[in-house]
Amino acid sequence: MKNNNYYCVIMAGGIGSRFWPMSTPKLPKQFHDILGTGKTLIQQTFHRISKIIPIENIYIITNEEYVNLTLEQLPEISKSQVIGEPKMMNTSACNIYMAEKIYNLNPDSCIIVAPSDHLILNEDEFSREVLIAFKKAEKQDILVTLGITPHRPDTGYGYIEFSENEKSTEAYKVKSFKEKPDLETAKSFLKSKNFLWNSGIFIWSSKNILNSFQLLLPEMYEKFQSIKTSYNTPNENIKIREVYNQIEKVSIDYGILEKSSNVWVIPSSFGWNDLGTWNALYENLSKDNEGNAIYGKNIHAYNSSNNILKTTQIDKTIIIDGLKDYIVVDTDDALLVCPRESDQEIKNYLKKIRTID
């Protein structure tokens, strides 16, 4: 039996600019089947969560531009379960908004907050650890996150430092959150054994996260509290638009978690990848004998190895010769050719192009 006090908020408002040119503002990466599984990333996330959360308790928060697209891809849910933000205000805003909305429906609610575009290979282990986190969050005044046990010194992830001396049923007290490190720092994190990758997956009771906002982001808390009689009413959208025009843009990590003294982390190993870059995707794609991940018809690679080669063109022939460790992506609107080691720069390429335009 699924617990009716358990809820999920799937965050699906990003535009995935590091996955350009496949991911665009009109069709971000969470709405693509980038792994070739037959399901888009948001569909995979929804079906994974629906194994442990009642479908009617699953909410998607996204940009208002993507509400209809979300409903098309998730026909199992009702329109009231897809929440369109009037503008992008980072993750503190969407988290307090959904906590207020769900608390209004059920004061005993506990919430898992999950990104819409992550890969999880071992879904049974994921479900097990989420249920452990729920049991802790509903009984204690704590905020819980799932930290990924690192297997390499990755510079593309944030890290969570935990205290080995403070442990409770598979969870550890968090000492600090660390920004994306340089390589030497990442190596030291890996060696120390008490650092985890920050997965961005959080579990808390709606009551406790709202108390945290009241303590740590009081101005934002007061703005959302001022419209509490409007949640889950026809007046909600109008009031939320007014609030979004008055609040600051701040991440949940910086605004709440890094400043809170009651965050706990569960070290996890369920085959997680945030699929944040083309390189992250490359790790999870099937490859030919030369290490090329080729997706699309009529792509021919010669004297080339360890490349990502992708096209959406059905009738175009593409020939690659002499490339090693490159990203080549051809869509209806654009062509990207860059070294794989430069995949973190794609976001900056776009900023420069838009400045020129």
Side-chain angles (χ1 to χ4, degrees):
M1 290 290 291
K2 297 175 184 176
N3 191 319
N4 288 326
N5 287 336
Y6 291 173
Y7 289 74
C8 177
V9 173
I10 298 175
M11 297 184 293
I15 60 174
S17 56
R18 287 181 294 175
F19 261 100
W20 183 88
M22 187 182 70
S23 181
T24 65
K26 288 187 177 180
L27 191 66
K29 71 168 181 172
Q30 60 268 29
F31 300 107
H32 288 268
D33 175 16
I34 65 172
L35 293 166
T37 64
K39 292 181 181 178
T40 64
L41 292 177
I42 194 172
Q43 288 172 333
Q44 289 186 54
T45 301
F46 174 81
H47 289 114
R48 180 188 313 129
I49 290 294
S50 66
K51 294 178 181 179
I52 51 177
I53 306 290
I55 286 179
E56 64 271 19
N57 288 2
I58 300 175
Y59 288 84
I60 319 295
I61 186 159
T62 185
N63 188 286
E64 59 186 12
E65 182 180 348
Y66 308 139
V67 168
N68 290 335
L69 182 57
T70 301
L71 287 167
E72 287 174 14
Q73 294 206 356
L74 300 176
E76 303 95 327
I77 62 177
S78 67
K79 189 173 182 179
S80 63
Q81 291 171 259
V82 182
I83 313 303
E85 290 184 283
K87 58 182 176 179
M88 296 173 67
M89 291 299 291
N90 216 313
T91 50
S92 282
C94 67
N95 273 283
I96 187 172
Y97 176 16
M98 293 309 300
E100 290 276 15
K101 185 176 176 66
I102 292 171
Y103 182 82
N104 178 274
L105 293 170
N106 182 353
D108 296 321
S109 54
C110 274
I111 305 167
I112 175 173
V113 180
S116 61
D117 52 3
H118 290 186
L119 171 67
I120 290 174
L121 296 175
N122 190 337
E123 296 193 350
D124 289 339
E125 178 63 15
F126 171 77
S127 296
R128 187 188 75 84
E129 294 185 7
V130 168
L131 290 173
I132 289 171
F134 266 124
K135 292 186 188 313
K136 294 187 72 65
E138 66 184 343
K139 293 177 181 178
Q140 303 175 50
D141 180 18
I142 61 173
L143 310 176
V144 185
T145 182
L146 303 183
I148 307 303
T149 304
H151 54 271
R152 62 176 184 273
D154 201 296
T155 60
Y157 298 143
Y159 285 72
I160 300 171
E161 181 185 14
F162 64 89
S163 173
E164 293 179 325
N165 298 324
E166 297 182 82
K167 183 181 179 183
S168 172
T169 320
E170 299 192 45
Y172 295 84
K173 183 77 175 291
V174 171
K175 291 177 66 176
S176 66
F177 287 81
K178 303 293 187 182
E179 298 297 326
K180 296 175 182 178
D182 58 31
L183 183 57
E184 288 306 311
T185 304
K187 287 179 179 178
S188 70
F189 287 171
L190 193 66
K191 187 177 180 180
S192 75
K193 306 291 187 181
N194 63 331
F195 284 84
L196 304 166
W197 289 335
N198 186 352
S199 71
I201 301 171
F202 311 116
I203 301 94
W204 42 54
S205 71
S206 55
K207 177 184 177 181
N208 285 337
I209 190 61
L210 290 175
N211 287 342
S212 296
F213 271 98
Q214 185 176 20
L215 177 66
L216 300 170
L217 287 176
E219 291 185 11
M220 183 178 289
Y221 174 81
E222 290 301 329
K223 295 294 183 185
F224 280 91
Q225 271 285 295
S226 70
I227 62 165
K228 64 181 181 181
T229 58
S230 299
Y231 292 116
N232 305 302
T233 74
N235 205 32
E236 179 179 317
N237 288 344
I238 295 173
K239 292 297 183 181
I240 282 294
R241 190 173 295 275
E242 293 174 0
V243 168
Y244 266 61
N245 286 328
Q246 300 172 36
I247 58 174
E248 62 179 320
K249 184 183 287 189
V250 58
S251 72
I252 190 75
D253 298 75
Y254 179 76
I256 300 295
L257 297 173
E258 292 180 14
K259 299 172 183 176
S260 177
S261 60
N262 64 336
V263 183
W264 289 69
V265 63
I266 297 176
S268 305
S269 297
F270 40 68
W272 172 88
N273 193 308
D274 76 340
L275 298 178
T277 64
W278 284 107
N279 262 333
L281 176 62
Y282 176 81
E283 294 179 13
N284 295 281
L285 295 176
S286 58
K287 306 167 186 71
D288 65 14
N289 292 334
E290 301 301 321
N292 296 306
I294 300 176
Y295 277 75
K297 295 182 178 180
N298 302 318
I299 299 178
H300 306 274
Y302 302 97
N303 307 308
S304 300
S305 60
N306 304 325
N307 300 294
I308 302 172
L309 309 173
K310 185 174 180 64
T311 180
T312 61
Q313 310 297 309
I314 297 175
D315 300 322
K316 182 188 288 186
T317 298
I318 297 176
I319 297 174
I320 305 295
D321 190 352
L323 284 187
K324 182 179 180 180
D325 298 313
Y326 262 74
I327 302 165
V328 180
V329 183
D330 187 36
T331 70
D332 292 343
D333 301 315
L335 170 66
L336 169 70
V337 182
C338 79
R340 280 178 47 203
E341 66 182 15
S342 300
D343 69 342
Q344 295 279 357
E345 292 297 313
I346 293 174
K347 195 171 186 178
N348 294 328
Y349 299 156
L350 289 179
K351 287 181 180 178
K352 292 175 182 178
I353 291 170
R354 288 163 184 162
T355 301
I356 294 171
D357 291 344

